[in-house]
Amino acid sequence: MKRASSSAAYQPLLRKVAYLAGSSLLLALLLIGYLYGTQDQFFGRLFGAFFVFFWLLAVTFLGVVPFVNWAAANWFGKQWAEPAPERTRRAKPTTTPPSPRKSTRTATRLNSTQHP
């Protein structure tokens, strides 16, 4: 029973890691493909670039950003953080019956053969 509940707790973290790995692989492919093409040592360069991108993104989004959010909430207090604006409902515009359209005057066409 504990395995099911503990694995469910890691689902959001694994999803975030998968997104970071996918975006890191895409960035690494674009960078290595642009700089070197598919010439010699492609997979070695790809692995190195993937590792660097993944490490930078993982440290930033899984470490730094949550820590800054926690520190701002705990060290400075909740009054320091700007409260989220409350949603205001807009009043429905009053519907007025449509006014009757005025008939438009049609322009007469000139006959192109009778130009001076």
Side-chain angles (χ1 to χ4, degrees):
M1 291 286 168
K2 281 191 172 186
R3 283 189 175 184
S5 63
S6 65
S7 67
Y10 290 114
Q11 290 291 336
L13 181 63
L14 290 176
R15 187 176 299 126
K16 288 179 184 179
V17 169
Y19 285 141
L20 290 175
S23 60
S24 299
L25 183 63
L26 179 68
L27 286 172
L29 277 170
L30 290 173
L31 178 71
I32 299 304
Y34 176 72
L35 290 177
Y36 302 107
T38 58
Q39 302 297 323
D40 57 348
Q41 299 178 354
F42 174 75
F43 291 107
R45 289 180 176 151
L46 181 66
F47 176 74
F50 168 77
F51 182 73
V52 168
F53 279 126
F54 182 75
W55 184 251
L56 290 175
L57 290 175
V59 166
T60 301
F61 291 112
L62 299 178
V64 174
V65 172
F67 174 74
V68 169
N69 287 337
W70 174 84
N74 289 330
W75 292 346
F76 300 115
K78 295 191 186 280
Q79 70 274 10
W80 181 78
E82 191 172 300
E86 293 184 20
R87 290 187 163 204
T88 56
R89 290 190 173 190
R90 294 181 184 171
K92 281 189 173 181
T94 56
T95 57
T96 57
S99 60
R101 291 187 174 185
K102 296 179 183 177
S103 59
T104 57
R105 185 175 165 193
T106 58
T108 57
R109 240 181 229 200
L110 297 176
N111 193 349
S112 61
T113 58
Q114 295 179 351
H115 269 54

